Amino acid sequence: MTPNWDDMRSFLAVARAETLSGAAALLKADPATVGRRVARLEEALNEILFAKSPQGYRLTAQGQKLLSHAVRLEQTMQDAREDLGGQGAELSGQIRIGAPDGCANFLLPQVCAAITAENPELDIQIVALPRIFNLSKREADMAITVSRPEAGRLLVQKLVDYKLHLAAAAEYLAQHPDIRSMEALGGHRFVGYIPDMIFDKELDYLSGTPFERVTLASNSAAVQLNILRQGGGIGVVHDFALPAAANLRKILPEAFSLKRSFYLIRHEDDRRVARLSRFADRLSEGLRQEMIRLTAIA
């Protein structure tokens, strides 16, 4: 028996969602149908592709080997549809981006909205999670990170630099003496990341400072921003996020200023996938322009 494309699509969806119901939602199909297709593929290949448990479906070693082939086939089919449809430079299909939640909350929404307005047949999924994405498992088509990866078969493109400063709500500052030096910060409440949930060293903003104790903490940059907006204390804020919080004020910007960068990460196998390369170029340009716009406001 020869595997068919519908069976491979079902295999890919289950590998990504790790449940039949999640895969069915991706494919707009019935879970039982998805299960039958996966079983048919396993029979055609004479291999067990998933280890099934109450927690869901996990790829076996043979399933992992098949995954990269299935992804390449999916990309080939997508490119063929675009060529046959005569869409030229217009993008279509689905692209999933993983990103740290600061970028996902304050940059990607407006950039991706503009891209989909230009490409009506394109669906973009933004996965905002405070962790590093596994592109080898195809958790996303591409990911934005705050550190350049040192290992793996990856395409790495620097997107843009950004800055961060200390900030607090105007209401909070009005209730305390003027802060004229770093030493004056000692008695203030600080807002930041949960120390043991910092997944990247570039996010460890307060380590080594006199105010590394965090009174109000979250693993989400967006939650931290909202705590600051409510007068919860002082924290480190992305300059590009400040326009979303009009009552926040920078503190000692000359004395405390951090510079970081965003990188776009793709799997090496995607180098020749035209649609992903075109999307990456458009995303990169959009992020640079949006960064310029937002930091001019901040």
Side-chain angles (χ1 to χ4, degrees), residues 228-254:
L228 294 172
R229 289 175 61 223
Q230 299 303 318
I234 297 172
V236 178
V237 178
H238 304 82
D239 281 7
F240 62 74
L242 286 172
N247 70 325
L248 292 191
R249 303 288 182 266
K250 288 183 183 179
I251 300 170
L252 303 175
E254 301 301 323

Tab-separated table of all heavy atoms in Angstrom, residues 228-254:
chain	number	residue	atom	x	y	z
A	228	LEU	N	2.777	47.037	36.355
A	228	LEU	CA	3.355	48.376	36.436
A	228	LEU	C	2.295	49.439	36.174
A	228	LEU	O	2.257	50.472	36.865
A	228	LEU	CB	4.501	48.520	35.435
A	228	LEU	CG	5.737	47.647	35.698
A	228	LEU	CD1	6.716	47.748	34.536
A	228	LEU	CD2	6.422	48.068	37.001
A	229	ARG	N	1.431	49.210	35.209
A	229	ARG	CA	0.361	50.175	34.908
A	229	ARG	C	-0.547	50.399	36.110
A	229	ARG	O	-1.105	51.478	36.300
A	229	ARG	CB	-0.475	49.681	33.717
A	229	ARG	CG	0.243	49.752	32.376
A	229	ARG	CD	-0.603	49.141	31.276
A	229	ARG	NE	-1.857	49.864	31.134
A	229	ARG	CZ	-3.046	49.294	30.965
A	229	ARG	NH1	-3.155	47.984	30.932
A	229	ARG	NH2	-4.121	50.030	30.827
A	230	GLN	N	-0.686	49.351	36.935
A	230	GLN	CA	-1.539	49.448	38.114
A	230	GLN	C	-0.804	50.001	39.331
A	230	GLN	O	-1.326	49.989	40.441
A	230	GLN	CB	-2.123	48.070	38.451
A	230	GLN	CG	-2.988	47.469	37.351
A	230	GLN	CD	-4.145	48.368	36.976
A	230	GLN	OE1	-4.792	48.958	37.848
A	230	GLN	NE2	-4.423	48.490	35.682
A	231	GLY	N	0.421	50.481	39.138
A	231	GLY	CA	1.169	51.064	40.255
A	231	GLY	C	1.840	50.051	41.145
A	231	GLY	O	2.102	50.322	42.324
A	232	GLY	N	2.149	48.855	40.583
A	232	GLY	CA	2.721	47.790	41.403
A	232	GLY	C	4.163	47.984	41.800
A	232	GLY	O	4.659	47.300	42.690
A	233	GLY	N	4.860	48.901	41.152
A	233	GLY	CA	6.261	49.129	41.489
A	233	GLY	C	7.040	49.597	40.281
A	233	GLY	O	6.496	50.230	39.374
A	234	ILE	N	8.328	49.261	40.272
A	234	ILE	CA	9.252	49.641	39.197
A	234	ILE	C	9.697	48.374	38.490
A	234	ILE	O	9.940	47.345	39.126
A	234	ILE	CB	10.468	50.386	39.769
A	234	ILE	CG1	10.019	51.705	40.424
A	234	ILE	CG2	11.517	50.654	38.695
A	234	ILE	CD1	11.130	52.411	41.185
A	235	GLY	N	9.828	48.433	37.183
A	235	GLY	CA	10.272	47.267	36.429
A	235	GLY	C	11.000	47.652	35.163
A	235	GLY	O	11.093	48.834	34.812
A	236	VAL	N	11.533	46.661	34.498
A	236	VAL	CA	12.231	46.855	33.227
A	236	VAL	C	11.230	46.640	32.096
A	236	VAL	O	10.574	45.597	32.032
A	236	VAL	CB	13.420	45.881	33.095
A	236	VAL	CG1	14.116	46.062	31.745
A	236	VAL	CG2	14.409	46.080	34.232
A	237	VAL	N	11.120	47.627	31.215
A	237	VAL	CA	10.093	47.618	30.169
A	237	VAL	C	10.742	47.806	28.804
A	237	VAL	O	11.658	48.619	28.639
A	237	VAL	CB	9.060	48.746	30.413
A	237	VAL	CG1	8.006	48.773	29.307
A	237	VAL	CG2	8.388	48.566	31.774
A	238	HIS	N	10.241	47.046	27.811
A	238	HIS	CA	10.662	47.273	26.426
A	238	HIS	C	10.220	48.680	25.998
A	238	HIS	O	9.069	49.058	26.205
A	238	HIS	CB	9.985	46.276	25.479
A	238	HIS	CG	10.196	44.841	25.816
A	238	HIS	ND1	9.458	44.170	26.775
A	238	HIS	CD2	11.064	43.935	25.309
A	238	HIS	CE1	9.860	42.918	26.837
A	238	HIS	NE2	10.837	42.743	25.957
A	239	ASP	N	11.102	49.425	25.368
A	239	ASP	CA	10.705	50.737	24.858
A	239	ASP	C	9.532	50.616	23.886
A	239	ASP	O	8.645	51.479	23.858
A	239	ASP	CB	11.882	51.418	24.151
A	239	ASP	CG	12.869	52.042	25.138
A	239	ASP	OD1	12.710	51.825	26.359
A	239	ASP	OD2	13.789	52.740	24.679
A	240	PHE	N	9.521	49.541	23.082
A	240	PHE	CA	8.446	49.411	22.097
A	240	PHE	C	7.095	49.103	22.729
A	240	PHE	O	6.061	49.207	22.072
A	240	PHE	CB	8.798	48.376	21.012
A	240	PHE	CG	9.002	46.957	21.505
A	240	PHE	CD1	7.945	46.155	21.882
A	240	PHE	CD2	10.274	46.417	21.550
A	240	PHE	CE1	8.126	44.842	22.309
A	240	PHE	CE2	10.482	45.102	21.978
A	240	PHE	CZ	9.400	44.318	22.360
A	241	ALA	N	7.082	48.730	24.021
A	241	ALA	CA	5.820	48.469	24.707
A	241	ALA	C	5.257	49.708	25.398
A	241	ALA	O	4.080	49.741	25.768
A	241	ALA	CB	6.000	47.349	25.734
A	242	LEU	N	6.079	50.728	25.587
A	242	LEU	CA	5.635	51.909	26.334
A	242	LEU	C	4.424	52.611	25.707
A	242	LEU	O	3.559	53.102	26.450
A	242	LEU	CB	6.796	52.894	26.493
A	242	LEU	CG	7.861	52.471	27.515
A	242	LEU	CD1	9.059	53.409	27.453
A	242	LEU	CD2	7.278	52.444	28.923
A	243	PRO	N	4.289	52.693	24.380
A	243	PRO	CA	3.083	53.326	23.827
A	243	PRO	C	1.780	52.626	24.219
A	243	PRO	O	0.716	53.232	24.177
A	243	PRO	CB	3.313	53.262	22.310
A	243	PRO	CG	4.793	53.259	22.166
A	243	PRO	CD	5.284	52.427	23.321
A	244	ALA	N	1.872	51.354	24.637
A	244	ALA	CA	0.671	50.621	25.063
A	244	ALA	C	0.326	50.907	26.518
A	244	ALA	O	-0.695	50.425	27.012
A	244	ALA	CB	0.882	49.121	24.866
A	245	ALA	N	1.157	51.668	27.209
A	245	ALA	CA	0.927	51.981	28.626
A	245	ALA	C	1.237	53.457	28.838
A	245	ALA	O	2.331	53.829	29.281
A	245	ALA	CB	1.808	51.101	29.509
A	246	ALA	N	0.268	54.301	28.522
A	246	ALA	CA	0.499	55.751	28.489
A	246	ALA	C	0.880	56.331	29.840
A	246	ALA	O	1.493	57.408	29.897
A	246	ALA	CB	-0.755	56.456	27.955
A	247	ASN	N	0.545	55.652	30.939
A	247	ASN	CA	0.844	56.239	32.254
A	247	ASN	C	2.211	55.831	32.797
A	247	ASN	O	2.581	56.226	33.903
A	247	ASN	CB	-0.242	55.855	33.267
A	247	ASN	CG	-0.212	54.376	33.634
A	247	ASN	OD1	0.088	53.531	32.778
A	247	ASN	ND2	-0.531	54.060	34.872
A	248	LEU	N	2.983	55.060	32.027
A	248	LEU	CA	4.312	54.678	32.495
A	248	LEU	C	5.337	55.751	32.133
A	248	LEU	O	5.268	56.373	31.077
A	248	LEU	CB	4.737	53.339	31.886
A	248	LEU	CG	3.964	52.095	32.329
A	248	LEU	CD1	4.675	50.839	31.843
A	248	LEU	CD2	3.762	52.052	33.836
A	249	ARG	N	6.297	55.927	33.039
A	249	ARG	CA	7.352	56.913	32.834
A	249	ARG	C	8.717	56.217	32.987
A	249	ARG	O	8.912	55.429	33.917
A	249	ARG	CB	7.255	58.047	33.870
A	249	ARG	CG	5.915	58.762	33.872
A	249	ARG	CD	5.739	59.633	32.632
A	249	ARG	NE	4.461	60.342	32.672
A	249	ARG	CZ	3.341	59.887	32.105
A	249	ARG	NH1	3.341	58.716	31.472
A	249	ARG	NH2	2.228	60.591	32.174
A	250	LYS	N	9.638	56.541	32.113
A	250	LYS	CA	10.989	56.009	32.247
A	250	LYS	C	11.664	56.596	33.487
A	250	LYS	O	11.407	57.741	33.860
A	250	LYS	CB	11.832	56.352	31.016
A	250	LYS	CG	11.470	55.595	29.761
A	250	LYS	CD	12.425	55.956	28.633
A	250	LYS	CE	12.055	55.281	27.332
A	250	LYS	NZ	12.975	55.668	26.227
A	251	ILE	N	12.549	55.790	34.091
A	251	ILE	CA	13.284	56.208	35.282
A	251	ILE	C	14.779	56.083	35.001
A	251	ILE	O	15.250	55.030	34.551
A	251	ILE	CB	12.904	55.322	36.489
A	251	ILE	CG1	11.415	55.424	36.786
A	251	ILE	CG2	13.733	55.678	37.714
A	251	ILE	CD1	10.932	54.409	37.807
A	252	LEU	N	15.511	57.151	35.233
A	252	LEU	CA	16.972	57.158	35.085
A	252	LEU	C	17.432	56.528	33.766
A	252	LEU	O	18.275	55.618	33.742
A	252	LEU	CB	17.626	56.422	36.257
A	252	LEU	CG	17.299	56.926	37.666
A	252	LEU	CD1	17.920	56.011	38.707
A	252	LEU	CD2	17.807	58.356	37.844
A	253	PRO	N	16.905	56.978	32.642
A	253	PRO	CA	17.250	56.341	31.365
A	253	PRO	C	18.727	56.439	31.001
A	253	PRO	O	19.234	55.579	30.263
A	253	PRO	CB	16.379	57.093	30.345
A	253	PRO	CG	16.040	58.389	31.001
A	253	PRO	CD	15.958	58.097	32.466
A	254	GLU	N	19.416	57.446	31.508
A	254	GLU	CA	20.845	57.562	31.210
A	254	GLU	C	21.677	56.599	32.054
A	254	GLU	O	22.753	56.153	31.640
A	254	GLU	CB	21.318	58.999	31.462
A	254	GLU	CG	20.600	60.050	30.627
A	254	GLU	CD	20.753	59.800	29.135
A	254	GLU	OE1	21.859	59.356	28.733
A	254	GLU	OE2	19.789	60.022	28.389
